[in-house]
Amino acid sequence: MIIKSVDGREINLSNIGIFYNKDNQNAKNTADSIAEILNQKNIKSNVLTTNEYDNSITFAIVLGGDGTILKTARFYAQYEVPILGINLGRLGFLSQAKSSQIEDAVNYILKGAFKIEDRIMLSACEGKINALNDIVIKGDGFSRTSRLYVHINDNIVCDYLADGIIISTPTGSTAYTLSAGGPILSPVLDAIVIVPICPHTMNARPIVIPSNETIKVTSSADKPLLKMAADGQETFTLGVNDKIEIKKSNYSAKLILLNLEKNSFYSVLKEKLNWGLSWKG
């Protein structure tokens, strides 16, 4: 079954995967409920854990918090599979419905009352690492600052003495980047944010650059080992000879947006972060 969205793009419902975290029984129950709703509409689906990704899936429904959606998005971006997030977590910036709104969400999809939003991703280590939110680089020592050098297009830009550096997409600007004092970017912008973590200077500030530029990070010679994390989930230890080069990925995440007026980026900011609301004492 092919469904056309309001922006003229298509999703293929011939092989739907409903993904949940195997450690969350509530998510499993919700996944079974979605499968039953789809079955009543003569649409077949497969209930799978996030350890059972299958490259034959044509449409993914993901249950959980943003972490579960991030993990699924990293896998399915290479196959251009659209993802619909159902929030079972706390904030749920990447999700489009709550568990109580499942049937409405399914009806939106079947009516074509949705659109697909392309979200840029980052890649590192020659494409071996991909991230939808951010790539974080820190020194190998616990609770120690590191001297990190940031080059953009082979030009030295910043010399940070800091706890680390966050390289973020616009999607990730409302996550760790925001907590570290970075700016909020609209998720449709084609840009990258660089934010130092607890810098030991008043002169170090976040910087926003075009997504077509290449970022290289090196450390001082006396502390060569670095830790790198993709979306806070995949962690790597990098040696002195490893090349840390970060750029826009060749893949993009395909996120489904429903109920477009209520789920606009600015509406979500106000609802989930109380953005722009004055404090009442």
Side-chain angles (χ1 to χ4, degrees):
M1 179 186 294
I2 303 295
I3 303 291
K4 184 172 288 189
S5 68
V6 294
D7 54 352
R9 299 173 68 175
E10 295 179 343
I11 60 172
N12 183 349
L13 302 185
S14 64
N15 192 6
I16 300 174
I18 305 172
F19 294 96
Y20 70 96
N21 186 323
K22 66 180 179 62
D23 297 322
N24 188 333
Q25 185 58 46
N26 180 45
K28 172 64 166 64
N29 295 339
T30 305
D32 290 337
S33 296
I34 295 175
E36 180 57 30
I37 291 170
L38 290 170
N39 185 56
Q40 290 172 4
K41 299 177 184 294
N42 296 317
I43 300 172
K44 294 182 179 180
S45 60
N46 302 291
V47 174
L48 303 164
T49 72
T50 51
N51 296 326
E52 299 175 307
Y53 293 137
D54 177 354
N55 60 15
S56 69
I57 293 296
T58 59
F59 179 63
I61 300 175
V62 186
L63 309 176
D66 283 344
T68 308
I69 297 174
L70 288 169
K71 181 181 179 182
T72 307
R74 284 199 305 276
F75 181 85
Y76 280 113
Q78 61 189 312
Y79 303 109
E80 299 186 345
V81 172
I83 293 172
L84 171 64
I86 305 294
N87 183 33
L88 302 181
R90 188 170 56 89
L91 282 177
F93 261 96
L94 300 178
S95 60
Q96 289 292 294
K98 302 174 184 176
S99 57
S100 60
Q101 302 168 318
I102 290 172
E103 191 150 10
D104 289 339
V106 170
N107 289 331
Y108 274 121
I109 293 293
L110 297 181
K111 290 188 298 185
F114 66 92
K115 71 181 213 178
I116 302 173
E117 195 166 82
D118 296 303
R119 302 285 185 93
I120 73 166
M121 300 177 69
L122 299 173
S123 72
C125 299
E126 300 179 339
K128 297 174 184 175
I129 300 169
N130 288 282
L132 174 54
N133 260 5
D134 51 43
I135 290 175
V136 176
I137 300 169
K138 294 184 177 182
D140 191 42
F142 178 72
S143 296
R144 292 182 182 176
T145 58
S146 300
R147 186 166 295 280
L148 300 169
Y149 304 94
V150 176
H151 303 72
I152 301 176
N153 296 337
D154 292 325
N155 298 306
I156 181 69
V157 174
C158 297
D159 170 2
Y160 292 117
L161 183 63
D163 287 359
I165 295 175
I166 306 170
I167 316 293
S168 171
T169 66
T171 298
S173 70
T174 52
Y176 192 8
T177 299
L178 179 62
S179 299
I184 291 179
L185 273 63
S186 168
V188 297
L189 287 178
D190 205 7
I192 297 172
V193 188
I194 303 171
V195 181
I197 304 169
C198 300
H200 287 222
T201 174
M202 295 296 291
N203 296 326
R205 292 292 181 266
I207 180 172
V208 181
I209 64 173
S211 69
N212 62 354
E213 300 194 324
T214 300
I215 303 162
K216 183 169 69 174
V217 180
T218 57
S219 64
S220 56
D222 60 328
K223 295 180 181 178
L225 289 181
L226 295 174
K227 293 279 190 182
M228 177 188 293
D231 289 339
Q233 296 176 332
E234 297 181 326
T235 304
F236 309 86
T237 299
L238 303 168
V240 64
N241 295 319
D242 288 327
K243 185 178 182 182
I244 308 176
E245 194 172 86
I246 299 168
K247 59 179 67 176
K248 179 181 176 180
S249 173
N250 292 328
Y251 307 125
S252 62
K254 314 294 182 187
L255 300 187
I256 295 288
L257 300 187
L258 302 176
N259 197 1
L260 304 181
E261 182 176 341
K262 182 179 179 181
N263 281 330
S264 74
F265 174 64
Y266 306 105
S267 297
V268 171
L269 274 184
K270 179 175 283 190
E271 177 189 350
K272 298 187 177 180
L273 287 183
N274 292 325
W275 195 257
L277 299 181
S278 60
W279 181 77
K280 295 179 182 180

